[in-house]
Amino acid sequence: SWDKDAKASPTLGFVPDLAPIKSEMVQLNVVIGEYLPLLYDEHVDWDRTMDKFRAKLKDAGIEHVIAEMQKQFDAYKASKRTP
């Protein structure tokens, strides 16, 4: 019965094209691999480490990745609208 009332996610079926952001994704994965373990360490200065992490993500192109993904998702949503 709960299946009848379930609502499909608006992202269902969306598959992003990563080609336009390939180099940024590689750089972001390197940054994440560097900082994620540090953020699990209870002895690290979390606020300072998080500030550095955010700055490195920005330098690696996260804003471009977010903008590209949003552009693709918006186009996907527009293609699914029924007239």
Side-chain angles (χ1 to χ4, degrees), residues 2-82:
W2 64 274
D3 282 345
K4 295 190 309 191
D5 300 326
K7 294 186 179 182
S9 168
T11 61
L12 186 65
F14 173 66
V15 179
D17 175 10
L18 300 179
I21 52 174
K22 185 177 179 180
S23 65
E24 288 92 342
M25 293 299 292
V26 170
Q27 293 174 45
L28 289 168
N29 281 324
V30 169
V31 171
I32 291 166
E34 177 184 351
Y35 278 87
L36 199 56
L38 295 174
L39 293 168
Y40 284 112
D41 184 346
E42 66 183 76
H43 302 293
V44 75
D45 179 343
W46 197 88
D47 290 326
R48 200 176 104 195
T49 303
M50 195 63 188
D51 288 344
K52 288 181 180 179
F53 182 39
R54 287 184 180 122
K56 288 242 184 162
L57 289 172
K58 189 173 181 179
D59 291 344
I62 196 160
E63 291 174 346
H64 179 245
V65 169
I66 292 169
E68 178 62 30
M69 294 296 246
Q70 187 65 58
K71 179 179 94 176
Q72 290 183 29
F73 182 67
D74 290 346
Y76 171 78
K77 279 192 332 187
S79 75
K80 293 295 176 189
R81 288 193 187 122
T82 55

